[in-house]
Amino acid sequence: MRLNEQEMKGLADFIYERLMKREMITLKSEESEVRRRIYEAIEKDIRAEQALDEEVEKIIDEHIQRAGEDINRRKLFKMIKHKLARERGLVL
C-alpha cells in the first residue's frame, strides 16, 4: 500500500486517538512524541513494503523470459511478494 505523508500522518493520528480512547496506552512522553513515534513506525513499515515490491519486480524481470509470455505478471507478483513476506515475518 502506498501512502503519502499526509495519509501516514492521518493514520498515525487515528491510531493514537483510538489507543487513548480505549485507554490502551499510558503516556510516558509528550503527546507529540508519541504521535511522532507512531508515524515513524508506519513510515518504516511502508518503506519495508516498498523495498519488498522492488525486490519482487527485480526477481520477475530476471525470470520472465524463461517463464514465457503466457505468464500473468500481477499474479506472479502477488505470489512472490507473499512468499517473501512470510519468510521474513512481514505483515502485509
Side-chain angles (χ1 to χ4, degrees):
M1 177 188 299
R2 306 230 177 200
L3 299 177
N4 63 36
E5 186 176 334
Q6 181 88 17
E7 292 168 329
M8 288 191 290
K9 185 177 180 324
L11 181 58
D13 289 342
F14 174 79
I15 291 170
Y16 173 82
E17 296 298 331
R18 294 288 282 211
L19 291 173
M20 291 302 291
K21 186 176 181 179
R22 294 181 180 188
E23 299 178 355
M24 297 177 74
I25 59 172
T26 303
L27 297 185
K28 295 181 180 176
S29 302
E30 295 290 323
E31 178 183 327
S32 61
E33 175 67 14
V34 175
R35 287 179 188 266
R36 186 184 63 78
R37 288 184 182 186
I38 294 170
Y39 175 86
E40 288 175 351
I42 293 168
E43 184 180 40
K44 181 180 175 186
D45 190 58
I46 296 291
R47 288 180 193 245
E49 186 170 353
Q50 288 173 342
L52 182 64
D53 287 351
E54 291 171 8
E55 184 177 349
V56 171
E57 288 290 350
K58 187 176 178 182
I59 290 170
I60 291 172
D61 288 344
E62 289 173 358
H63 296 89
I64 195 82
Q65 291 179 348
R66 275 194 292 160
E69 294 181 16
D70 294 335
I71 194 159
N72 181 329
R73 188 179 179 96
R74 188 68 198 151
K75 186 175 180 180
L76 185 60
F77 180 90
K78 280 184 166 183
M79 290 171 46
I80 293 171
K81 183 176 179 179
H82 283 96
K83 181 180 184 298
L84 291 177
R86 190 174 43 250
E87 289 174 359
R88 296 171 186 178
L90 297 174
V91 178
L92 300 177

